[in-house]
Amino acid sequence: MGHLAYDAAHLFGGAVLALSFVLLYQRRLTAVINAYALQALVLAIAAAWQGWAQGAPHLFLTAAITLGVKAIAIPLGMHSFVRRLGMNRAVESALGVFPSMALGVGLVALSIMVVLPVTAQSHMLTREDLALALSVVLMGMLMMISRRTALTQVIGFMSMENGLILAAVSVEGMPLVVELSVAVLVLLAFAVFGVFFFRIRDQFDSLHLDHLDRVDGGPR
Amino acid sequence: MIAGLVALVPLLAAVVLGFVRDRAIGAWIVIAASTAAFGLACALPWQMGAGTLLLVDPLSVHMAILTSFVGMTTAWFSRRYIEIEMITGRLDGLRARQYHVLFQAFLGFMLLALLSNNLGLTWGAMEAATIAAVLVVGLPRTDLAISAAWKMFVLCGVGIALALFGTIVLYLAAQPSLGPGLPAMSWSALAVAAPGFKAPLLNLAFVFLLIGYGTKAALAPLHAWMPDAHAEGPTPVSAVLSGSILNVALAVLLRVRGLMASNPDAISPGIPLMALGLLSLLLAAFALWRRYDVKRFFAFSSVEQSGLAAFAFGIGGPAAMFAGMLHVTLHTLIKAAIFQCVGRASQLKGGQKFADIGGLIASHRALGLTLAAGIVAVAGMPPFGLFSSEFLIMLATIRSWPWLALPVGLGLVVGGWAMFNRLISLCLGAATPNRGPAPALIDLVPAWLHLALAVVLGMAMPAGLVAWFSLVAEGLR
């Protein structure tokens, strides 16, 4: 793999991670959705670039799926959903901006420390991309933990899946990437559907997950 | 060939059921399909071999037969159960149809996950089974059911995502030995080549797979979805959920454990499994004391038993593996019988709280006695088989980790005691008023069948079965 191919792949992987940080501190719901769409777009470019660099045309399919569904269809659907239900307000976070950013940096350091030593003999690009991907996965989990509403949790979940796709495309010669990305997509579609469903029932005043605490098994 | 059919029959039935409007015909299709799947699974021991997509080895055959057996008896049980749910208005016609479709899909994908010879296919089937299970748990459409389904989806979704990361890393570990392409993702090829894998990558994969599939196996502290899902979903699903999805996840963990154990440089997979297992056992045993909902109570008991099985698999060695497999098998059979009885009892009494159900023997002798037998069985008392498997697990513990026998024994005693405590309030004493239809004797036949099998496996296991369990345990090393 040439110098340019390597650098560019690195750039796109790094950009996906940088957008994970952007996701962490956004306050408005629409901004969170936009940041997610941008992350998916960069991921699609990264997948297409890997497809070209590895000479693996099936990765273009993964890139196309990511672009069409994750970067365009799901964000558009979410925007219309948020507009229709008048949810365009600030979403609170269980952690402040600074603690969540600090935790995010800590998670990136953690994944670099975990991944780089164990992949010492692997392909250079693979190991660094894997570290980036693991960071994205962990930051997605952090977002799921720190955000309180179902919609932002779902976006955290989807961002986590972006990290998984980044890992899958950067492992050279990995079979079934397209199939796996479709399977992941089904999961995402289901998550989004779940939120819609939740809201449409309108039993819960907001998508606040504190309502779930009612399921506690105590005497009612 | 037959292995493919085992998974395909329920999946096809799910598709067909989507178009069948007549409820009676639909119910019979469900019964026919799950009985056919069980029949086909019974032919698998003569079909051993590894293909590109499917793997038929003792572990997968054993689990497939067990899963399809419980699927079959639960389908028999469901027919009348769903009828009564519709009469009482808890499910309408559309929901009943969705229930049958989802149940078959759930069953089919679990069988596919068990029989798959590909890491990716196993993962995908597991994911699909999870989605089907989430949908079926949310089916009653009450607030609590939807909340439970959402909680299950979020927790299991994260688990599944981590499992996918583990799968990718495992492929990365296998790639240098097996080359790029499908072989590096096949369980059978991995098992052969595992001793040559790079240990650090294998360790990393193990951590993610353990957390990911451990969530599905309801190992503490990742078990939180399970009690809610059990309490709020339709009862027949609890019967299947309790045994089968736990078993599928445990089977995957067993395969990963085998890879780790055969690699000389990798960390020993036993200690993490034992730690999670012991934690689940103790946590659930104490949690049993503060439950007010019958189904939630038995869900915690499933966490306890799943933890004990994981503990046994963590000890390793042929004796502990034998005990663990026996334990998983018996627990699946007994717990399905219990949930079938609980389903009938909550229909009879019109509620599923301990306060609603009492004096069952006085109000319906056969049902009360069957439930009592099930509770005695799950508490690990003779003549039922869990006594033998728990005894064997204790023996294996004392042989290799003598000190751990204390906490394991404590967990078993505390859990068993809670069972007897509840046995008294559920089955004995003054009867609470009946608010629903009483089950006919024939409705209890599946539960009797399960309990009879548990007695046979515990007291008089035929030599053929002993040889079979040894073969399965042998394969696990």
Side-chain angles (χ1 to χ4, degrees):
Chain A
M1 195 182 288
H3 238 309
L4 175 69
Y6 174 83
D7 286 342
H10 224 152
L11 174 71
F12 296 132
V16 172
L17 177 59
L19 284 164
S20 275
F21 277 101
V22 175
L23 271 174
L24 263 188
Y25 70 76
Q26 293 304 326
R27 291 231 162 244
R28 300 194 74 79
L29 213 40
T30 42
V32 177
I33 297 171
N34 287 339
Y36 169 75
L38 196 58
Q39 189 182 42
L41 176 69
V42 176
L43 177 70
I45 298 172
W49 185 263
Q50 290 279 4
W52 179 77
Q54 296 178 17
H58 64 272
L59 291 186
F60 289 121
L61 201 55
T62 305
I65 294 170
T66 307
L67 180 72
V69 182
K70 287 190 186 173
I72 299 173
I74 290 182
L76 280 183
M78 282 189 153
H79 271 308
S80 84
F81 172 47
V82 166
R83 228 183 358 258
R84 218 154 12 116
L85 298 170
M87 290 167 60
N88 191 11
R89 52 172 188 258
V91 285
E92 76 260 58
S93 159
L95 299 165
V97 170
F98 179 74
S100 42
M101 294 304 255
L103 271 174
V105 172
L107 288 178
V108 174
L110 178 75
S111 38
I112 289 174
M113 285 193 312
V114 166
V115 171
L116 289 192
V118 304
T119 47
Q121 280 104 354
S122 302
H123 199 283
M124 196 58 188
L125 180 60
T126 302
R127 52 190 297 223
E128 286 170 5
D129 259 4
L130 203 63
L132 291 174
L134 181 58
S135 313
V136 175
V137 169
L138 293 179
M139 302 228 338
M141 282 175 85
L142 176 63
M143 186 167 166
M144 288 182 78
I145 295 165
S146 70
R147 295 303 180 103
R148 283 281 178 73
T149 61
L151 194 60
T152 38
Q153 287 197 338
V154 165
I155 294 175
F157 184 65
M158 296 199 296
S159 156
M160 195 168 150
E161 305 281 16
N162 280 348
L164 294 173
I165 299 294
L166 184 65
V169 296
S170 54
V171 174
E172 214 169 341
M174 170 117 181
L176 298 179
V177 173
V178 181
E179 290 82 350
L180 287 178
S181 52
V182 172
V184 164
L185 210 59
V186 173
L187 206 60
L188 294 190
F190 187 75
V192 176
F193 164 79
V195 173
F196 271 80
F197 183 72
F198 249 81
R199 182 61 201 184
I200 285 162
R201 274 185 58 84
D202 226 0
Q203 299 278 341
F204 307 100
D205 175 43
S206 69
L207 291 174
H208 230 284
L209 289 191
D210 289 345
H211 291 284
L212 293 196
D213 292 346
R214 283 172 51 200
V215 188
D216 58 357
R220 285 187 286 271
Chain B
M1 181 62 215
I2 289 185
L5 279 180
V6 172
L8 210 56
V9 166
L11 291 178
L12 280 179
V15 174
V16 171
L17 283 167
F19 296 100
V20 176
R21 285 185 174 278
D22 189 297
R23 280 202 304 280
I25 298 177
W28 285 110
I29 292 178
V30 170
I31 290 177
S34 27
T35 311
F38 174 64
L40 286 166
C42 286
L44 286 179
W46 291 273
Q47 300 277 323
M48 298 282 184
T52 337
L53 282 181
L54 298 175
L55 171 65
V56 185
D57 68 351
L59 174 65
S60 62
V61 170
H62 183 77
M63 290 297 196
I65 293 178
L66 184 62
T67 304
S68 56
F69 178 73
V70 175
M72 174 179 75
T73 53
T74 310
W76 297 348
F77 164 86
S78 292
R79 196 179 75 86
R80 280 268 294 158
Y81 181 85
I82 295 296
E83 269 176 24
I84 294 175
E85 289 290 279
M86 290 181 60
I87 293 168
T88 50
R90 276 189 290 265
L91 285 177
D92 59 18
L94 180 65
R95 299 271 155 72
R97 213 165 88 207
Q98 288 171 344
Y99 164 81
H100 285 314
V101 171
L102 291 170
F103 182 81
Q104 290 298 309
F106 177 57
L107 194 62
F109 282 120
M110 278 195 306
L111 290 168
L112 186 62
L114 283 171
L115 291 165
S116 123
N117 189 21
N118 181 292
L119 297 170
L121 185 62
T122 302
W123 181 85
M126 198 70 180
E127 181 217 331
T130 306
I131 291 180
V134 167
L135 285 173
V136 92
V137 165
L139 211 52
R141 293 291 186 273
T142 56
D143 289 353
L144 289 174
I146 290 173
S147 304
W150 183 249
K151 188 170 176 182
M152 180 179 177
F153 175 74
V154 169
L155 284 173
C156 290
V158 171
I160 270 182
L162 292 178
L164 179 57
F165 194 81
T167 303
I168 295 170
V169 178
L170 189 54
Y171 167 78
L172 200 60
Q175 197 194 26
S177 317
L178 292 166
L182 279 176
M185 285 189 90
S186 107
W187 289 113
S188 54
L190 287 176
V192 176
F197 291 171
K198 296 274 176 294
L201 270 176
L202 203 52
N203 292 343
L204 187 65
F206 174 68
V207 171
F208 280 98
L209 291 170
L210 179 66
I211 299 174
Y213 286 113
T215 312
K216 303 253 56 184
L219 294 178
L222 310 161
H223 66 284
W225 58 273
M226 177 127 152
D228 292 342
H230 274 284
E232 306 307 334
T235 310
V237 179
S238 305
V240 180
L241 207 60
S242 197
S244 310
I245 200 130
L246 266 57
N247 292 354
V248 179
L250 280 176
V252 176
L253 284 178
L254 275 174
R255 288 201 191 282
V256 179
R257 189 206 148 273
L259 299 182
M260 299 291 292
S262 64
N263 189 306
D265 303 322
I267 52 167
S268 151
I271 312 262
L273 268 177
M274 280 164 70
L276 287 186
L278 194 56
L279 183 65
S280 316
L281 171 68
L282 288 171
L283 193 131
F286 283 99
L288 281 176
W289 284 90
R290 283 187 53 80
R291 296 303 123 197
Y292 306 92
D293 182 304
V294 181
K295 283 161 84 181
R296 202 177 286 270
F297 176 78
F298 286 113
F300 269 101
S301 150
S302 293
V303 173
E304 182 196 357
Q305 306 297 341
S306 174
L308 188 60
F311 180 80
F313 294 139
I315 296 176
M321 284 297 173
F322 183 97
M325 273 330 275
L326 186 61
H327 192 79
V328 164
T329 310
L330 286 163
H331 169 244
T332 306
L333 293 173
I334 293 170
K335 199 45 78 59
I338 287 185
F339 273 117
Q340 292 178 356
C341 293
V342 169
R344 299 289 184 215
S346 57
Q347 283 184 336
L348 175 68
K349 300 291 188 184
Q352 56 177 46
K353 298 267 181 264
F354 280 108
D356 299 324
I357 305 177
L360 214 49
I361 292 182
S363 49
H364 193 292
R365 181 171 291 271
L367 180 62
L369 286 175
T370 314
L371 182 59
I375 297 176
V376 168
V378 86
M381 289 293 134
F384 295 101
L386 275 189
F387 175 74
S388 332
S389 65
E390 287 179 1
F391 183 72
L392 289 174
I393 292 175
M394 280 307 271
L395 272 188
T397 314
I398 290 168
R399 204 170 301 131
S400 15
W401 303 81
W403 283 104
L404 286 182
L406 280 176
V408 173
L410 176 72
L412 288 179
V413 170
V414 171
W417 191 0
M419 283 289 155
F420 276 102
N421 203 13
R422 285 311 188 181
L423 169 68
I424 293 167
S425 83
L426 277 177
C427 299
L428 307 173
T432 50
N434 292 351
R435 297 198 204 101
L441 279 187
I442 194 158
D443 296 335
L444 295 172
V445 169
W448 291 342
L449 190 60
H450 282 226
L451 290 175
L453 274 173
V455 172
V456 170
L457 285 175
M459 299 306 286
M461 209 203 256
L465 271 179
V466 177
W468 171 252
F469 272 98
S470 310
L471 183 69
V472 177
E474 197 94 345
L476 300 171
R477 274 171 302 177

